[in-house]
Amino acid sequence: MRDWVQSEWERLGGLALVLLPATLLFGFATWLRRAFYALRLLPRWRAPVPVVVVGNISVGGTGKTPLTLAILDLLQRKGFTPGAIARGYGRVPPRENDPHGVVRVYPDLATPELFGDEPVVIARRSRVPVYISPDRPAAARALVSAHPEVDVIVSDDGLQHYALARDVELAVVDGERRFGNGLLLPSGPLREPVSRLKRVDAVVVNGGSSDQRWSEQQFAMRLSATRFARLTSNQEVAPAEFALLARGRQVVAIAGIGHPPRFFEQLSALGVVARAQAFPDHHHYQASELRFPGAEIIVMTEKDAVKCAAFADARMWYLSIEAQLPREFDEFLLSRIFQARARIDGSQAA
């Protein structure tokens, strides 16, 4: 069903036409909500430090989390003390007596079932304080309250969460898939119209090609394979070495991400021949699903690995990737953060 819906989102077919009334209603509600925040009829909370939001306008994986990790790494290298917030999609729902569901993600203790897979990856890779909640302002308040040393907040996803004021908006676009049939949910894959890109500070294009009509400020991003790591040990190998290790063996590749074909194509480009098995995004794996009789190697994404670690066996490896961005992006982002900090300092002084 998931694959069929996604295929329908790639074209203007019968499903899109049937759902068009709901799409028009969704579009009106989206416009009205955004207008209410713009007119200050709905409240926004502004953090005492600059806030960078990394999001997208379409459903499915575009590369937000790798970009978030790259930004956190850049900020740390430049002497900042960043923190991160996220929704924690796929986690166990918050308790009834805690409506905001604000939780800190401790890198060495967190499990994806309770915290979501992407926040766990961010916490383990970046080692910065990470707080999650469906209520973004609540997560940001908890972060700066518990960690007064944090001087920049980076939000993984949240472009449409207008209750949190932001100083820099970055929209990630899949340069190959782009926007499908160009329609809003549920007829198409878009959360907001493509015109929304003109109002962000910059568009980051993940692979493929860009379009100057989207935004005046655009940067190319490439996801680069850095290493393969075995889940049951500290063994790590370079991509070329792993390709030799997998040669002539029965390899199964699994991916429970927004766009699994990207992972499978990346493995193929690295010389790893594998039988592909896609799972839904944020899938909660069971050990029985990964038995794969006859498989000698099972390779997965890092996001999948945090959910399979509890029952992993020696056959299981994951591929770690990093976002590669031009120096101009670093200069742009740091400039915007310094400008935001100057505005905040000026308003506090006043």
Side-chain angles (χ1 to χ4, degrees), residues 102-229:
V102 181
V103 181
R104 177 171 181 187
V105 183
Y106 289 94
D108 300 319
L109 300 175
T111 60
E113 293 79 16
L114 296 178
F115 300 93
D117 43 27
E118 289 155 349
V120 173
V121 171
I122 292 171
R124 291 180 181 177
R125 286 271 296 271
S126 69
R127 313 305 288 190
V128 306
V130 178
Y131 282 72
I132 60 172
S133 173
D135 184 336
R136 298 306 174 95
R141 282 194 295 267
L143 172 61
V144 295
S145 175
H147 300 274
E149 73 279 8
V150 166
D151 50 15
V152 181
I153 296 174
V154 181
S155 176
D156 180 41
D157 207 357
L159 191 63
Q160 290 78 34
H161 291 259
Y162 295 109
L164 176 64
R166 65 286 307 267
D167 300 284
V168 185
E169 284 188 330
L170 303 174
V172 187
V173 171
D174 186 322
E176 295 179 354
R177 289 188 299 156
R178 298 195 173 193
F179 313 110
N181 58 21
L183 297 177
L184 295 175
L185 292 166
S187 292
L190 298 185
R191 301 172 179 175
E192 293 185 282
V194 176
S195 59
R196 173 71 169 88
L197 297 177
K198 293 184 179 296
R199 295 191 294 275
V200 301
D201 293 278
V203 170
V204 177
V205 184
N206 179 14
S209 60
S210 62
D211 189 325
Q212 293 304 314
R213 293 175 296 179
W214 298 341
S215 171
E216 293 183 2
Q217 192 69 261
Q218 298 185 43
F219 300 96
M221 179 176 77
R222 183 172 60 89
L223 299 182
S224 175
T226 59
R227 61 188 172 86
F228 284 86

Side-chain angles (χ1 to χ4, degrees), residues 164-316:
L164 176 64
R166 65 286 307 267
D167 300 284
V168 185
E169 284 188 330
L170 303 174
V172 187
V173 171
D174 186 322
E176 295 179 354
R177 289 188 299 156
R178 298 195 173 193
F179 313 110
N181 58 21
L183 297 177
L184 295 175
L185 292 166
S187 292
L190 298 185
R191 301 172 179 175
E192 293 185 282
V194 176
S195 59
R196 173 71 169 88
L197 297 177
K198 293 184 179 296
R199 295 191 294 275
V200 301
D201 293 278
V203 170
V204 177
V205 184
N206 179 14
S209 60
S210 62
D211 189 325
Q212 293 304 314
R213 293 175 296 179
W214 298 341
S215 171
E216 293 183 2
Q217 192 69 261
Q218 298 185 43
F219 300 96
M221 179 176 77
R222 183 172 60 89
L223 299 182
S224 175
T226 59
R227 61 188 172 86
F228 284 86
R230 194 189 291 266
L231 271 66
T232 56
S233 69
N234 295 323
Q235 183 181 3
E236 297 181 357
V237 299
E241 185 179 350
F242 184 83
L244 290 174
L245 178 69
R247 184 174 298 173
R249 307 177 76 177
Q250 294 295 319
V251 182
V252 174
I254 67 169
I257 57 178
H259 185 53
R262 180 188 288 119
F263 175 63
F264 302 141
E265 291 165 5
Q266 189 170 35
L267 289 178
S268 180
L270 293 172
V272 178
V273 179
R275 175 164 61 91
Q277 176 66 60
F279 289 87
D281 195 12
H282 305 289
H283 182 66
H284 291 293
Y285 291 96
Q286 304 296 321
S288 59
E289 296 175 303
L290 303 186
R291 288 181 182 148
F292 298 121
E296 299 172 85
I297 294 176
I298 300 173
V299 61
M300 62 191 72
T301 71
E302 188 170 5
K303 177 176 161 180
D304 295 308
V306 299
K307 294 177 287 189
C308 298
F311 52 81
D313 60 49
R315 301 174 300 164
M316 298 182 185

Side-chain angles (χ1 to χ4, degrees), residues 16-35:
L17 297 176
V18 169
L19 296 176
L20 196 56
T23 295
L24 295 174
L25 183 61
F26 177 81
F28 176 73
T30 299
W31 174 85
L32 191 64
R33 180 172 172 272
R34 188 168 60 244

Side-chain angles (χ1 to χ4, degrees), residues 14-78:
L15 178 65
L17 297 176
V18 169
L19 296 176
L20 196 56
T23 295
L24 295 174
L25 183 61
F26 177 81
F28 176 73
T30 299
W31 174 85
L32 191 64
R33 180 172 172 272
R34 188 168 60 244
F36 277 11
Y37 278 108
L39 296 172
R40 299 184 179 181
L41 298 177
L42 289 175
R44 281 184 173 179
W45 183 77
R46 180 166 291 279
V49 299
V51 174
V52 179
V53 171
V54 179
N56 62 11
I57 62 168
S58 57
V59 174
T62 56
K64 297 186 302 295
T65 300
L67 178 57
T68 298
L69 287 166
I71 291 172
L72 292 170
D73 178 66
L74 170 66
L75 293 174
Q76 289 175 306
R77 286 189 284 108
K78 295 299 181 179

